[in-house]
Amino acid sequence: MSRSERDFGRQWFAGHQVNPTVRRLVFDLRDRGHQVGILTNNVVEWEPIWRRMVDLDHVVDHIVDSCRVGVRKPDPRIFEIARERTGLPAGDCVLVDDLAENCVAAEAAGWGAVRFHSAEQAISELNELLDRTESVGASSAAHGERGH
């Protein structure tokens, strides 16, 4: 990558800020006992910039960065890589993403998916999805079908 492309990355991220509502969600999900990961399409040269900006390395359980694993969303292989890192079944994984094709691919991989339009909408839909999943898990555990 040329110097101008690296400079573009710095300029691009300089114009972006972390959404504080979404950042708080990461902490909330962890406090509720969920694994939280970052699944991103990026280039290696921009990795230090976005990771410093997001500042969640110390909070999230996993980071799957396309530049490190050699495959990008919506390729189904990236969802399998991320799922393997969690140790969970696909049905217990959820993607929150702003691109419809990534959400469709996640669902095809057996994940839940929430299309991000706004922080409030995404958090509401994610909580509804997690509540349904937790209810099913509790019901299944009560029937001895699934150990926790």
Side-chain angles (χ1 to χ4, degrees), residues 63-74:
I63 297 176
V64 177
D65 194 336
S66 63
C67 69
R68 299 288 178 194
V69 299
V71 62
R72 300 173 55 85
K73 296 178 287 183

Side-chain angles (χ1 to χ4, degrees), residues 38-88:
I38 297 172
L39 178 56
T40 184
N41 287 347
N42 235 312
V43 295
V44 71
E45 291 81 3
W46 297 358
E47 186 179 33
I49 302 166
W50 75 259
R51 285 178 86 150
R52 188 171 36 256
M53 179 186 77
V54 171
D55 190 30
L56 288 171
D57 284 20
H58 63 291
V59 179
V60 298
D61 297 288
H62 313 281
I63 297 176
V64 177
D65 194 336
S66 63
C67 69
R68 299 288 178 194
V69 299
V71 62
R72 300 173 55 85
K73 296 178 287 183
D75 190 305
R77 292 175 292 174
I78 199 163
F79 298 104
E80 182 57 20
I81 291 166
R83 189 212 56 78
E84 285 175 355
R85 291 196 185 171
T86 70
L88 297 170

